[in-house]
Every structure is written in C-alpha cells, then in structure tokens.
Amino acid sequence: MQISNRIAPWEVLSFRPALRAFFRNKVQEDEIDDLVQEVLIRMHGRDASGIDNLEHYVIRAARNVLRDRYRRDQVRRRQDHCELLEHDHPPDDMSPERILRAREQLATTLQAMDELPERSRTILVLLRWEGMSYSEVAELLDISVSAVQKHVTRSMRHLMARVLERHESQADIEPSGERGVLDRRRRMACSSAVN
C-alpha cells in the first residue's frame, strides 16, 4: 500500500488565519476571502514530497496569487472600472416611444448613408462596422490616409446634418414640454459641429 504524498485539505486550512493576515494590508477587505480561497484551491492536492517548509510554501503561493491578480488587473484595467450603483446608472427605460425614436433615427441614418458617394460609404462601413484602421482602409483602397480622413469628415457632416434635420422637424411637431423643441444652445452646438 502506497502512502500518498499529497497535501491534505486540513493542513492547508490550518493556514487560513496566516493567509488572511498576509493579504490584510495588501488588498481591500472584501477581496481577502477570494484570494485565500484561490490559494487554498492551488494548494489542494499538491505533491508535498519536495516541500520542506509547508508554511513558507503556502505564503509563496499567496505571493504568486497576489502577483497574478495584479497582472490580471493591469491587463483588464480594473482601476478604470466603476461600480454599477443605481444612483449613478439608473435603469434604462426601454419605452415603446424610445424604441420607435431609435428605429426612426436608424432609418434616417441609413437613408443618409445611401445618399453618400459609393467610395465614402465604403470607407465609413470599413471603419465603423468592420473595425479597420484608417491606414488599413487606405491600403485596401489604394488611397492616402488623409484622403480617408477627408471622406470620413464629409460623411459624418452629411449624416449629422440629416439626423439633425429630422430631429428638428420632429421637435417642431411635438408639443412643448420635457421632450419638446430642442433648446437653442443644443441646436447651435450641433450645427457648429456640422460646419
């Protein structure tokens, strides 16, 4: 009968207080239990035959877990994320009116896209929908990057003008109030962006 050299679960669990103390000053309080759990999972079932000091080995595993977490956070840019709190991000109201307005705006945009010259439309589709870069589009169409930029600028002006025309014509029809006529400053800002 062969005696197992695996680390027993109760041996690892005995290091739980030491792991909590190790993580206490390094991470936020609500993250400690998750990190301890990750260390315990890594240690479970490990071969103990080459381990001289189990406590040192567990703390080294904890350092590795902390290092891996830091690397993961850097890649995911965790510090740039914000919490989803209801007062900061109220629930989205998908009313029938809002859905109708979105569909009308999409139809207006698609109609305005059809009014663009073929090359401008192709460039816009490649950039916005296919996710290509300006240099990739320029190489594909055998034109300069500045030519691509000029096509995009003209196309965006045209699209914005059409959407604003449609929006202003609807605002003139609607009764005044919360969703009535656009206020003057907003219209001026939008029209200056187009020009």
Side-chain angles (χ1 to χ4, degrees), residues 112-113 116-117 119-121 123-124 149-161:
M113 287 276 295
L116 292 172
R119 179 163 260 188
S120 295
R121 186 173 46 239
I123 289 172
L124 208 56
Q149 292 170 339
K150 288 176 185 174
H151 279 281
V152 170
T153 301
R154 272 188 252 126
S155 300
M156 294 308 290
R157 281 186 185 154
H158 176 75
L159 294 176
M160 280 184 72

Side-chain angles (χ1 to χ4, degrees), residues 7 12 38-46 54 57-58 61:
I7 298 173
V12 178
E38 192 170 334
V39 172
L40 296 177
I41 289 170
R42 284 188 184 189
M43 298 300 299
H44 179 73
R46 287 282 169 116
L54 186 59
Y57 189 78
V58 169

Side-chain angles (χ1 to χ4, degrees), residues 97 99-112 115 157-174 179-182 186-187 190 194:
E97 177 184 311
I99 293 169
L100 179 64
R101 285 176 187 249
R103 286 182 180 164
E104 288 173 350
Q105 189 174 15
L106 177 63
T108 302
T109 305
L110 291 175
Q111 183 180 1
E115 296 169 0
R157 281 186 185 154
H158 176 75
L159 294 176
M160 280 184 72
R162 290 294 181 253
V163 169
L164 285 173
E165 286 172 11
R166 172 78 174 162
H167 190 69
E168 287 177 349
S169 67
Q170 282 185 334
D172 291 338
I173 296 171
E174 291 179 358
R179 295 190 181 215
V181 179
L182 288 172
R186 185 168 169 207
R187 263 191 281 176
C190 291
V194 171

Side-chain angles (χ1 to χ4, degrees), residues 9-108:
W10 58 86
E11 289 179 289
V12 178
L13 286 175
S14 66
F15 291 107
R16 194 177 187 123
L19 288 170
R20 288 186 60 76
F22 174 79
F23 288 125
R24 187 164 289 119
N25 295 328
K26 295 172 179 61
V27 297
Q28 293 179 358
E29 185 68 30
D30 61 337
E31 298 174 287
I32 291 175
D33 287 332
D34 291 338
L35 292 171
V36 169
Q37 183 71 24
E38 192 170 334
V39 172
L40 296 177
I41 289 170
R42 284 188 184 189
M43 298 300 299
H44 179 73
R46 287 282 169 116
D47 184 14
S49 60
I51 300 173
D52 296 332
N53 184 343
L54 186 59
E55 182 177 2
H56 179 71
Y57 189 78
V58 169
I59 294 300
R60 191 168 62 200
R63 280 193 195 110
N64 290 338
V65 164
L66 200 58
R67 189 176 305 120
D68 291 348
R69 177 184 173 273
Y70 175 76
R71 287 179 186 152
R72 211 173 29 245
D73 289 350
Q74 291 301 311
V75 169
R76 295 179 182 164
R77 299 180 56 94
R78 185 173 179 207
Q79 73 276 7
D80 294 341
H81 296 195
C82 62
E83 287 187 54
L84 182 60
L85 302 174
E86 188 145 339
H87 68 276
D88 293 331
H89 308 279
D92 196 12
D93 180 26
M94 292 301 289
S95 66
E97 177 184 311
R98 185 167 174 205
I99 293 169
L100 179 64
R101 285 176 187 249
R103 286 182 180 164
E104 288 173 350
Q105 189 174 15
L106 177 63
T108 302

